[in-house]
């Protein structure tokens, strides 16, 4: 599907973005193995979360809609799931494949996990290797590094593991496996990554001890927990940047989750000088997570240097931050972000190629990008590269660029944000 974007006179209004994708996956997976029934509200209706729900249903988990959009009842099966009769399809979702691998490693049956072309090219050795150390039997293509993955789970040994990358998907995979291990699992992280699994498992009665970047999880069963999923900060980030770079904008995004392990984008935009043009209002705690309404209006931004610990806590927002950098004064340098190369697309290569078509002064580095602000962009024909966040970042660029921008592959936005294009029309009037 192609979408044509033209800079509107103004950008204004208020909206609620879909439920947080990371919390949605975890609310389904963890409640699926809990000893009872839980209610989830505000569940993301994106393609990725549907993939997780489909896989769990194929293993006998009941996930029943409750009438209200985003409300579901999950019937936990305790620690024992049912052997699936067919391959499990994780679609485009790295989170589904990696978290479910950890879950399946502790299940006494055979399961095969596959996904779309993008997911089948993403690195799975990072979960296969430690799961094999725990005693799981897993095979995959190309020396067990690529999906499809065939997993025959069973009893697991506890391990102490130094994680080579700061990945919440790897951490969560090993925590799920650790619940079924014969002793405490110790994970050492190189930097903090999103901690939704730690928070939710703790709320479900798991024993987890943290000491700086080390985490110890004890095996055990989970109690069900009701989850009210907050708005996804990764989706809200598109409108934050749109508001800041459009010359006549005031946009409010209500109920955005601001977990500190996710909120790096707010800090980065403040470092760029957003100031009062990016405000947090009505701050509150909902379902154990900090939440606020975010108000973004036209502002002026400066280039910054981004690297180190902030990178994992805003990893998914780097493509849209690159758009902001094109409209900023001066140079923005992003480093320590080599993980971008193994996302839904190689986000360093694809961000550079597509923003270049719009007149950006942007260059790739092995572990990031260097962007010189040019004060604006020009509409062009651009590609999503089967990457939802790239499609939406380019739409935001198009909202502030001169001339028409045509986005090919616009349907990819539905992976995390099915109503993105409707929301864009609402704000653009
Ligand atoms: C996610 C973790 C991140 C992120 C992805 C969702 C999660 O991946 O990029 O979109 O829900 O755990 P990594 O943990 O592999 O960096």
């Amino acid at each position: 599907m192609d979408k044509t974007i033209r800079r509107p006179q103004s950008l204004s209004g208020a909206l609620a973005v879909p439920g947080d994708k990371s919390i949605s996956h975890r609310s389904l997976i963890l409640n699926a193995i809990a000893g009872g029934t839980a209610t989830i509200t505000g569940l993301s209706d994106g393609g990725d979360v549907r993939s997780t729900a489909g896989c769990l249903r194929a293993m006998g988990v009941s996930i029943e809609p409750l009438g209200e959009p985003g409300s579901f009842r999950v019937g936990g099966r305790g620690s024992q799931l049912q052997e699936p009769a067919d391959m499990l399809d994780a679609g485009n979702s790295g989170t589904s494949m990696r978290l479910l691998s950890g879950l399946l490693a502790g299940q006494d049956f055979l399961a095969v996990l596959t996904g779309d072309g993008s997911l089948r090219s993403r690195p799975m050795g990072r979960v296969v290797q430690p799961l094999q150390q725990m005693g799981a039997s897993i095979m995959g293509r190309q020396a067990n590094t690529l999906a499809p993955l065939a997993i025959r789970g069973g009893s697991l040994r506890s391990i102490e593991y130094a994680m080579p990358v700061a990945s919440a998907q790897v951490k969560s995979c090993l925590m799920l496996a650790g619940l079924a291990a014969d002793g405490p699992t110790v994970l050492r992280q190189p930097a903090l990554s999103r901690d939704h699994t730690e928070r939710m498992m703790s709320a479900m009665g798991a024993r987890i001890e943290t000491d700086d970047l080390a985490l110890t999880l004890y095996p055990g069963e989970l109690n069900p927990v009701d989850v009210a999923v907050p708005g996804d900060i990764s989706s809200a980030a598109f409108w934050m940047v749109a508001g800041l770079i459009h010359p006549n904008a005031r946009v409010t995004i209500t109920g955005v989750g601001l977990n500190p392990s996710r909120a790096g984008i707010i800090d980065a935009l403040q470092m760029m000088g957003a100031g009062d043009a990016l405000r947090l209002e009505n701050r509150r705690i909902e379902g154990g997570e900090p939440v606020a309404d975010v108000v973004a209006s036209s502002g002026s931004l400066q280039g910054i240097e981004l690297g180190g610990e902030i990178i994992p806590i805003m990893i998914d927002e780097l493509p849209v931050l690159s758009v902001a950098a094109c409209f900023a004064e001066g140079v923005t340098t992003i480093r320590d972000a080599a993980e971008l190369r193994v996302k839904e697309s190689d986000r360093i290569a694809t961000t550079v190629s597509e923003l270049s078509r719009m007149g950006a002064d942007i260059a790739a580095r092995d572990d990031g990008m260097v962007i010189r602000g040019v004060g604006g962009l020009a509409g062009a024909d651009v590609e999503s590269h089967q990457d939802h966040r790239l499609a939406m970042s380019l739409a935001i660029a198009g909202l502030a660029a001169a001339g028409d921008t045509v986005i090919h592959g616009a349907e990819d936005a539905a992976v995390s944000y099915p109503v993105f294009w409707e929301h864009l029309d609402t704000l653009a009037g």
Side-chain angles (χ1 to χ4, degrees):
M1 177 178 87
D2 293 350
K3 272 276 175 190
T4 302
I5 312 290
R6 183 169 302 159
R7 179 169 62 200
Q9 284 291 322
S10 65
L11 211 52
S12 68
L15 50 80
V17 291
D20 187 278
K21 184 159 81 66
S22 293
I23 297 176
S24 294
H25 283 295
R26 286 155 175 82
S27 69
L28 293 175
I29 295 173
L30 297 180
N31 275 310
I33 52 165
T37 297
T39 301
I40 304 170
T41 52
L43 190 80
S44 162
D45 61 348
D48 275 8
V49 174
R50 286 175 191 262
S51 295
T52 284
C55 293
L56 292 171
R57 285 189 175 115
M59 293 188 281
V61 179
S62 77
I63 303 172
E64 299 298 334
L66 290 174
E68 189 76 5
S71 296
F72 290 85
R73 183 179 298 122
V74 181
R77 294 184 56 100
S79 48
Q80 194 56 49
L81 300 177
Q82 202 175 290
E83 183 170 68
D86 202 346
M87 293 224 272
L88 298 172
D89 188 358
N92 189 246
S93 174
T95 308
S96 309
M97 183 163 288
R98 296 200 179 103
L99 269 59
L100 291 174
S101 298
L103 179 68
L104 291 166
Q107 297 288 323
D108 190 12
F109 54 67
L110 178 76
V112 180
L113 269 167
T114 191
D116 71 7
S118 154
L119 186 55
R120 280 183 281 108
S121 70
R122 295 180 64 188
M124 293 301 148
R126 55 179 62 191
V127 291
V128 171
Q129 239 188 338
L131 289 174
Q132 286 177 333
Q133 277 181 38
M134 295 178 82
S137 161
I138 310 188
M139 283 194 295
R141 290 184 304 128
Q142 303 222 353
N144 305 329
T145 60
L146 296 179
L149 300 177
I151 305 178
R152 177 169 284 290
S155 50
L156 297 175
R157 291 188 286 280
S158 63
I159 55 167
E160 187 168 335
Y161 186 66
M163 294 171 45
V165 285
S167 162
Q169 294 182 352
V170 175
K171 173 172 63 177
S172 305
C173 164
L174 298 178
M175 289 175 73
L176 278 156
L179 286 176
D182 61 0
T185 298
V186 181
L187 304 176
R188 298 189 195 287
Q189 313 176 66
L192 180 71
S193 60
R194 63 194 70 192
D195 65 359
H196 306 299
T197 306
E198 293 91 310
R199 286 178 186 239
M200 206 178 288
M201 274 192 186
S202 297
M204 299 174 86
R207 183 172 159 208
I208 299 172
E209 289 160 7
T210 49
D211 178 9
D212 194 22
L213 293 172
L215 179 159
T216 305
L217 168 90
Y218 293 81
E221 312 255 304
L222 299 177
N223 305 316
V225 69
D226 292 343
V227 181
V229 183
D232 198 327
I233 188 168
S234 297
S235 300
F238 298 113
W239 308 124
M240 295 182 209
V241 171
L244 286 165
I245 64 174
H246 189 281
N248 183 18
R250 190 173 195 281
V251 177
T252 302
I253 315 120
T254 56
V256 181
L258 289 176
N259 177 314
S261 65
R262 293 287 297 286
I265 182 66
I266 308 263
D267 299 334
L269 292 170
Q270 286 304 347
M271 283 159 65
M272 293 178 86
D276 275 351
L278 185 69
R279 289 199 320 274
L280 303 180
E281 295 183 347
N282 199 10
R283 298 179 81 134
R284 56 213 188 258
I285 301 286
E286 278 178 11
E289 297 267 352
V291 169
D293 302 334
V294 181
V295 184
S297 36
S298 316
S300 57
L301 301 174
Q302 278 97 51
I304 51 166
E305 300 226 344
L306 267 187
E309 289 178 353
I310 196 170
I311 297 295
I313 65 175
M314 60 173 297
I315 189 76
D316 291 340
E317 289 67 74
L318 290 169
V320 78
L321 185 98
S322 308
V323 173
C326 293
F327 288 82
E329 202 177 291
V331 176
T332 295
T333 308
I334 300 170
R335 46 188 175 76
D336 303 325
E339 274 295 296
L340 288 178
R341 295 211 178 266
V342 291
K343 294 297 179 186
E344 287 81 334
S345 68
D346 173 345
R347 285 186 177 155
I348 294 178
T350 55
T351 302
V352 167
S353 77
E354 300 315 300
L355 288 179
S356 295
R357 291 183 198 223
M358 298 182 74
D361 181 347
I362 180 169
R365 295 283 180 267
D366 286 348
D367 68 342
M369 291 172 266
V370 180
I371 304 149
R372 183 179 301 278
V374 283
L377 292 174
D381 265 42
V382 290
E383 293 285 338
S384 72
H385 294 269
Q386 276 192 299
D387 184 336
H388 56 127
R389 297 204 198 283
L390 186 67
M392 293 186 277
S393 298
L394 294 168
I396 300 310
L399 279 176
D404 286 2
T405 300
V406 182
I407 297 163
H408 302 289
E411 68 279 4
D412 292 328
V415 157
S416 59
Y417 199 161
V419 291
F420 176 80
W421 303 105
E422 285 91 322
H423 280 183
L424 186 150
D425 287 343
T426 306
L427 296 177

